[in-house]
Amino acid sequence: MQVRFLPGASEAVYVGRRRGVRRSGRKGILSGRPCYRPPLSVSESTLEAPPLPPEPAAPQSQRAPEPVPWTLRLFVRRHPWWATAVLIALLSVLMVLYARTRPSYDAYGWLVWGYQTVHLSLDLGGAPSWKPLTYLFTVPFAVFGHYEMWLWMFFSAGVALAGAVFAGRIAYRLSGGGAMKPDDPPVVRYAPIAAAVFAGAAVLGLQDYMHYILSFQSDPMLVTFVLAAIDMHMIGKYRWTLVFGVLATLGRPEAGPWLALWGLWAWIKLPSMRWMLVAGALVVAFGWFGIPTITNGRPLLAGDLAQKSPRALRHNQFFGTLGRFKDLEYIPVWIAALLTLVVAVVRRNRTILVLAAGAVGWVIVEIAFAYHGWPALGRYMFEPAAVGAVLAGVGVGLVLAELPRLKLPQLSRALPRWAGIPVVAVLVGTLVPGAVARIRAERQDLRHERARTHQITLLQTTTNVVGGARHVANCGQPVTDVAYASALAWIYHRDVGSVGGFQQGVEKAELRQNIPKVLIRPVARGGWSVLPWHTRPSQIARCSSLHAEYVVTSRHPAGVLVHLHR
């Protein structure tokens, strides 16, 4: 059989035939027939190859789709979360730059915590009261040096604005959004959108809400985290629910009981999340009690500082706390929320009833805190008020969608489909006078905050022109008004507790003692006066240049340093 594979085998067979080799009766190797075809050249074999049949055309469904050109509308449609985040980030940057305000007393203290942590000198002994949430963000921001303040301002404003988005999402879903049919009337189809807009606007319209956003405090951020946790639970993203719930609890202990109840439900219903629930509980415990124990040896530091607040209710804590909660929203908003609650009771809407129960329970916890001696301020109840705003938005959607479906025996025919529009218009109209008054109050507050920002800027300039923060600190402990104590601590990179405040009785007593200090007082017409106090004899000559004023005059609108003499 090997002959069949030898080159030239066919030629040998033909030669045998010419020499008279007799054919065999069997077909074999030596038979008269060739084993292979006669050899052909490459060109001949190529020409003789049968043509390949054409491939059938691919069906229309299997053809590759043509590339779609990128457009902004297409990006928003495909990535709504990213588009919303970018829009909120841009709005927060523009709002911060337009407002030209600076952080509040507490916020400056949080920035000091971040700076001290990076420099391994954290001390929580002074004001403000300890909050693990803000510490969670100011520490990484502190890595960027003096840009820490700007990063915190942009971040806190952006997170606060996102609360209106989550409120709108919840109201939209509870009003039937996504379940509408194409053949529904336009009023019914647009009712969830109206509910979402009303809920978002009602959240932003909470009393002093914009003030706390533009003073970069954490309270509006906590509203966002609470609403985000509710939204994530409603769409089934339970891990994100836990994340936002932990963040809310790190900023406000009132959220702890509700996070614990949800954790119990998740422990039973979602066994795969049990390790995350344990980790979340450890993070909360370490944030509130572990860090204060490590830095100051006082696990209950946050509660100890909160009990010393001068704004705590000394009597009538029950009705005083309820009054503060009521004042957060206008009466028509509460009426719309109550209407939603009544409908939910009739229809046994468990989701709305749970949200209302959570809001009521939060206020009850705040009342208990007031009896314990803690402040129970109105901003501590922004979260239940925001839930009330969501329920009011759901009420708007119910009026628009459900009112035309009512069948009253007194009427011979059904109500027109647009019957809910006048009712909602009346509700919005009753809110206009209060909204206008609140906008005017916010404008006045913005002017006050800008004046405060100007004073803080002059404080920084005064420190620079008299020799710098280190020179001032070498001459004595800096002491200023308590309203500017945290800003001074930020400028001088000192703990807030080590900066004196004139309004504190302790500091007044210390001024009588022979302790070196540098008194830094604001000047009414704009500027600061600096005065060394009880200076050590060896430093009198060195610190004499601190006896000066940096003031704003008509000839020097940017300020001028004036040295004073005793």
Side-chain angles (χ1 to χ4, degrees), residues 454-464 480 484 487-488 491-492 520 528:
H454 183 61
Q455 276 293 96
I456 293 175
T457 303
L458 292 177
L459 177 60
Q460 176 72 68
T461 305
T462 303
T463 301
N464 295 336
T480 186
Y484 294 96
L488 184 66
I491 294 173
Y492 282 62
I520 306 174
W528 294 85

Side-chain angles (χ1 to χ4, degrees), residues 13-22:
V13 173
Y14 283 104
V15 171
R17 291 183 61 184
R18 289 195 297 268
R19 293 180 181 179
V21 177
R22 188 176 62 180

Side-chain angles (χ1 to χ4, degrees), residues 105 479-486 499-503 520-522 528:
Y105 177 91
V479 180
T480 186
D481 280 1
V482 68
Y484 294 96
S486 61
V499 176
F502 287 125
Q503 282 81 357
I520 306 174
R521 292 188 173 95
W528 294 85

Side-chain angles (χ1 to χ4, degrees), residues 142-228:
V143 177
F144 299 93
H146 66 279
Y147 292 106
E148 177 191 2
M149 181 184 72
W150 288 100
L151 290 173
W152 170 254
M153 290 163 62
F154 293 143
F155 176 77
S156 62
V159 173
L161 292 178
V165 177
F166 286 107
R169 283 173 53 86
I170 299 172
Y172 179 84
R173 189 170 292 105
L174 292 177
S175 301
M180 296 297 173
K181 301 178 181 178
D183 56 346
D184 287 335
V187 175
V188 177
R189 285 189 280 111
Y190 288 105
I193 299 178
V197 173
F198 188 91
V203 169
L204 295 178
L206 290 171
Q207 186 182 43
D208 296 332
Y209 199 74
M210 293 304 300
H211 165 78
Y212 289 108
I213 292 179
L214 295 179
S215 58
F216 313 106
Q217 301 206 47
S218 63
D219 302 280
M221 297 173 58
L222 297 174
V223 172
T224 298
F225 293 142
V226 169
L227 295 178

Side-chain angles (χ1 to χ4, degrees), residues 10 13-14 17 23 27-36:
S10 59
V13 173
Y14 283 104
R17 291 183 61 184
R23 293 184 180 181
K27 295 181 180 180
I29 300 175
L30 298 178
S31 63
R33 296 182 181 180
C35 297
Y36 294 98

Side-chain angles (χ1 to χ4, degrees), residues 400-413:
L400 292 175
E402 301 293 337
L403 187 60
R405 301 176 182 176
L406 292 179
K407 295 181 180 180
L408 300 178
Q410 295 83 358
L411 300 177
S412 58
R413 56 181 181 178

